[in-house]
Amino acid sequence: MKTRRVLACLLALPATLAFAAESYRCSLIVDAGGDAYRVDASQYAELVLEPEPMPTLIHLKSASKDLSFKGCAQTKADSSNFSGWFGTECREFVSVDGKSFSVDAFLIGAYAGISPPIQPGYVLYDALAKVGAKVGTGTPQRTMVIYADRKPQYEFFCYQGNGANKG
């Protein structure tokens, strides 16, 4: 009888794991000038992989409500830096509660890039590891950058679970 229960549990385990989405908590990294950076914990984002990265919540001082994006898609490979840095592109802000919202004018038409997992060999690995060390969070596992007017406006360092990798 025990063998059947163990076998049933083992068979159910892969199905359970397949439905568990990876989630990331992302903190805004601010350029403080002079090769210095700091974390702005008052502005943050949350990502969930289902199976592609999707911001489920973006909290910005420049917005009247918490935001998300209407949709995300795999970045189209071309010769741009954007496609080399980001595996996913998200477009069109929407409010998390589905109701009207406002953003500062510079954010109208904003879009975001979400990196693939940050690992050695990733084109920006060394730069991200250096910044992560300076702010005390360690190398991010992913990044999300919000662009407006084709310029990066917000860069978030993302870590699985509830916070930064302290090591």
Side-chain angles (χ1 to χ4, degrees):
M1 198 62 126
K2 281 186 178 179
T3 306
R4 288 186 194 167
R5 281 189 216 148
V6 171
L7 182 58
C9 290
L10 290 174
L11 291 174
L13 186 60
T16 302
L17 293 176
F19 292 111
E22 290 179 62
S23 61
Y24 294 83
R25 175 79 175 179
C26 309
S27 298
L28 181 64
I29 303 299
V30 178
D31 185 341
D35 202 31
Y37 300 89
R38 65 179 176 80
V39 175
D40 179 352
S42 70
Q43 299 184 83
Y44 53 88
E46 294 175 6
L47 301 177
V48 175
L49 305 182
E50 295 177 327
E52 293 295 320
M54 178 66 181
T56 57
L57 181 137
I58 304 166
H59 183 83
L60 302 173
K61 291 178 184 173
S62 300
S64 64
K65 292 186 174 197
D66 288 340
L67 304 173
S68 184
F69 282 96
K70 188 172 187 176
C72 298
Q74 186 174 357
T75 304
K76 292 185 171 97
D78 58 22
S79 60
S80 71
N81 284 336
F82 189 90
S83 69
W85 296 338
F86 303 109
T88 303
E89 181 177 353
C90 303
R91 298 262 176 191
E92 195 175 339
F93 276 133
V94 294
S95 68
V96 171
D97 67 6
K99 296 182 180 174
S100 297
F101 66 95
S102 62
V103 294
D104 287 353
F106 77 94
L107 281 175
I108 295 173
Y111 58 97
I114 300 172
S115 74
I118 306 297
Q119 301 172 346
Y122 174 68
V123 67
L124 297 174
Y125 180 86
D126 291 339
L128 295 170
K130 181 180 173 184
V131 172
K134 286 182 179 194
V135 299
T137 61
T139 305
Q141 294 172 317
R142 289 186 181 260
T143 63
M144 181 176 79
V145 180
I146 297 176
Y147 285 77
D149 294 325
R150 301 179 58 93
K151 297 176 191 161
Q153 301 292 331
Y154 298 93
E155 182 165 11
F156 296 90
F157 278 20
C158 304
Y159 301 88
Q160 232 174 341
N162 292 326
N165 173 19
K166 294 292 181 188

